[in-house]
Amino acid sequence: MPKTVLNPGQLERGAGPRVPRVLGTSIVDGSLEVPVDADEIDLLGPAGDDYVVVAYDASGGVIERVSPDGSTRVLRESNIGLNELSSDGSHLFDVVTRGRDRTVVRVLDTTTGEVTARRGFPGFVDVLDAADGVAVLGGTAPRRTVSWDTATDETTRIVSRQGYRADLAADRLSTFSGDPYDGGCSRITPLSDPARTLCASATTSRWPPPPEPVAC
């Protein structure tokens, strides 16, 4: 069989990513490069023409809104939880675990930094996706996936399985059927119809493994 030898250094550079990204301590978005005064940054996503980042230095981390001209507005003085930016960039979800049996989720306006909603949930929850004032959360103890309308503070159980990924725009939800370290497997379903399985893993992490793959 003929062989082709490739020299990566001689290949032409391809197109850059079409989404904002971090390069060192700068935000790179197409031809725009915005330096951020920090030792390290995590980009949470765009917010209109601006960006929301976690900026770290020796004293810890702060959450900032960064404009293309490099000016910043602090949205939160400390970063002690998990953070999820809504897909439209208008709200920041701040997830803080309180002990072993309670999680508090706060919603911050990414323009003003004002807290617009707050709710406590039993066990541990994580914000999987959010848009238009609605968040999808996956949780354990108990295992479940719920939607939360942040304007009315109403919650609706979507399914009694732990969600770990969601995409509101694509109408997709990924859940575990059980403990992924003890035989649980993954299901991908429509978010609007979680009883309909589109795809499921057929492996388990039990040890010793069963002689045949176990269907999810």
Side-chain angles (χ1 to χ4, degrees), residues 42 56 58 69 77 150 174 188 208:
D42 286 337
Y56 300 95
D69 63 3
E77 293 287 353
T150 61
S174 298
I188 300 177

Side-chain angles (χ1 to χ4, degrees), residues 119-204:
R119 186 180 179 95
F121 294 87
F124 172 78
V125 299
D126 189 17
V127 178
L128 309 181
D129 195 16
D132 301 323
V134 176
V136 178
L137 301 92
T140 58
R143 298 181 187 278
R144 78 279 196 200
T145 303
V146 301
S147 65
W148 176 32
D149 187 317
T150 61
T152 65
D153 200 31
E154 294 181 355
T155 60
T156 303
R157 182 172 293 243
I158 297 172
V159 67
S160 296
R161 298 192 301 271
Q162 177 193 353
Y164 67 93
R165 290 287 188 275
D167 190 321
L168 284 159
D171 189 31
R172 289 294 181 267
L173 173 66
S174 298
T175 60
F176 290 121
S177 64
D179 186 341
Y181 295 98
D182 188 23
C185 56
S186 173
R187 292 185 184 180
I188 300 177
T189 70
L191 186 56
S192 59
D193 185 11
R196 183 163 66 94
T197 300
L198 302 174
C199 179
S201 65
T203 59
T204 75

